[in-house]
Amino acid sequence: MKFYPYKRLNRPITLRVTSATLKLPDGTFDPLDTSAYSVPQRTVALGVAQHEDWISARIGLSATLPPGATDPDTPWSGLRVLAVLTDGDTNLRTTVALRQDAPDSKEWSGQIEVLRDDHVGRASLAAYAVATVDGVEGRSITETDADWTVDVVADEPLGGLRLDVKQAGFSKSAREWLRPYADVPWVIDASGRLPLVMINTDVEGFSDLLGGNGGGIENKIHELLLSQMATDVWTAVFHSAVGDLEVEPDGSPVFPTDWRGEVLREMLPDVVPGLHVEEALRRVHRRRTDDAGWVELQTRIHYAAVRRAGASKAVANALRALQQMNREDNA
């Protein structure tokens, strides 16, 4: 625990990546889609676009200060929010000031530029709120409690959604709630501290296939099954997250502070595109509670889940493997 000789905020900054764009050698820009960054894993993968010769990347940022940061009676003045990119391998540090979205707002946003030649692998991205306290300028009054990682070579944000995965025979499981689902290969419980995926070992050969120990077409089927399972998981956790929201006295929904909030921040840009995540959450909440437009939104929710599960890539790989096998059989 660190001790400071001045007053600070006791809660951290919430930092989110909202966009990523690559600048190419010909001067054009390639905006990356949301699969290039993962909110739960706080990771940006700039290799996702398969451009090995990109010049720089612009990463859009949004930072939310904790309550009390902008109150009129705070013991500090000259509040600023800084985004800092640090690369230990190249001993480089880049700092940019974010801008306040509106007077007295806790929301700050901006961009930070990542120069390709300045980095060889992974860099850390953090945010700091600094101000003048007791007459001393540049004092940090709060910061992010966990850094983002910017990886200039990775083609996917590693990790994805954190899950608790267990295996059991459903038909005779000690978990009685599993027994009614004895004829399905998996079920998802999104009510706990982490989403739980239960694999049904009663389905003969299913666990071995998920283990991915085979090769050839069997390996592609393994990938296809995992993507289908991941699609189900992302769909389930989104519905769990929006189904139990706390609301302010004025009816505005509040982002959960656990994994549910991270899931919402990651999926909402695809569910309700073109809106800031806070407004997107309000719109989704209204549609769900007012029973107007909720059914139509299911297609967007499924789309967001499919993208995060990598289903398109898994299907394409399986089809190529089948075509190759057919060509070999006909040769």
Side-chain angles (χ1 to χ4, degrees):
M1 178 180 294
K2 294 182 179 180
F3 295 92
Y4 297 85
Y6 58 90
K7 291 185 177 180
R8 283 170 41 96
L9 294 164
N10 58 12
R11 294 178 61 184
I13 298 173
T14 299
L15 179 65
R16 298 176 298 279
V17 168
T18 58
S19 64
T21 301
L22 297 184
K23 182 180 180 180
L24 305 181
D26 61 2
T28 61
F29 293 88
D30 182 12
L32 306 182
D33 62 29
T34 55
S35 64
Y37 46 92
S38 169
V39 176
Q41 293 301 312
R42 295 184 175 91
T43 301
V44 184
L46 296 178
V48 68
Q50 303 297 313
H51 291 300
E52 296 184 359
D53 56 350
W54 57 274
I55 304 299
S56 63
R58 292 177 182 172
I59 299 176
L61 302 173
S62 176
T64 303
L65 300 189
T70 57
D71 289 351
D73 57 349
T74 57
W76 47 76
S77 61
L79 177 65
R80 293 185 298 155
V81 178
L82 306 176
V84 181
L85 183 70
T86 305
D87 192 326
D89 292 329
T90 59
N91 197 28
L92 184 75
R93 177 178 295 223
T94 303
T95 301
V96 297
L98 304 183
R99 63 183 180 277
Q100 195 171 17
D101 290 355
D104 300 324
S105 172
K106 297 191 297 293
E107 303 294 330
W108 297 63
S109 57
Q111 293 181 335
I112 193 166
E113 187 170 21
V114 181
L115 298 177
R116 181 65 182 89
D117 289 343
D118 289 342
H119 304 276
V120 295
R122 312 180 97 190
S124 296
L125 179 62
Y128 297 84
V130 298
T132 299
V133 188
D134 297 335
V136 180
E137 296 182 357
R139 282 182 158 173
S140 174
I141 59 171
T142 187
E143 56 276 322
T144 46
D145 60 352
D147 292 352
W148 275 72
T149 295
V150 178
D151 196 318
V152 299
V153 296
D155 60 5
E156 63 176 306
L158 301 177
L161 181 65
R162 293 176 59 210
L163 302 172
D164 186 10
V165 181
K166 299 183 183 299
Q167 297 191 25
F170 288 8
S171 60
K172 298 179 181 179
S173 175
R175 297 179 173 89
E176 294 187 5
W177 65 272
L178 287 175
R179 295 176 187 173
Y181 309 113
D183 59 340
V184 299
W186 66 77
V187 294
I188 300 157
D189 178 10
S191 63
R193 184 181 59 86
L194 287 177
L196 170 65
V197 180
M198 292 298 305
I199 307 298
N200 188 2
T201 58
D202 290 338
V203 179
E204 186 176 356
F206 183 61
S207 295
D208 293 337
L209 187 58
L210 285 181
N213 296 323
I217 189 63
E218 184 175 320
N219 185 57
K220 302 308 177 186
I221 295 175
H222 158 79
E223 293 179 5
L224 200 58
L225 282 173
L226 286 182
S227 71
Q228 177 59 58
M229 186 184 300
T231 298
D232 290 350
V233 169
W234 279 107
T235 303
V237 296
F238 183 87
H239 280 280
S240 174
V242 298
D244 191 25
L245 291 171
E246 294 183 10
V247 295
E248 301 280 12
D250 64 358
S252 299
V254 178
F255 272 98
T257 56
D258 59 4
W259 61 263
R260 293 171 179 84
E262 302 298 337
V263 164
L264 291 174
R265 293 186 187 278
E266 177 147 345
M267 293 184 68
L268 281 171
D270 279 333
V271 176
V272 189
L275 295 180
H276 193 275
V277 288
E278 277 75 14
E279 176 56 33
L281 181 62
R282 286 191 288 268
R283 181 168 298 186
V284 168
H285 180 66
R286 285 196 302 269
R287 289 195 179 189
R288 191 186 69 82
T289 55
D290 295 344
D291 198 26
W294 179 240
V295 174
E296 290 80 0
L297 204 61
Q298 301 310 302
T299 300
R300 297 294 312 185
I301 295 172
H302 183 258
Y303 168 72
V306 166
R307 292 189 68 192
R308 273 143 194 84
S312 296
K313 181 179 179 181
V315 169
N317 288 341
L319 289 174
R320 280 194 293 268
L322 284 172
Q323 292 168 353
Q324 178 65 28
M325 187 171 63
N326 289 335
R327 284 194 294 267
E328 292 173 354
D329 290 343
N330 294 329

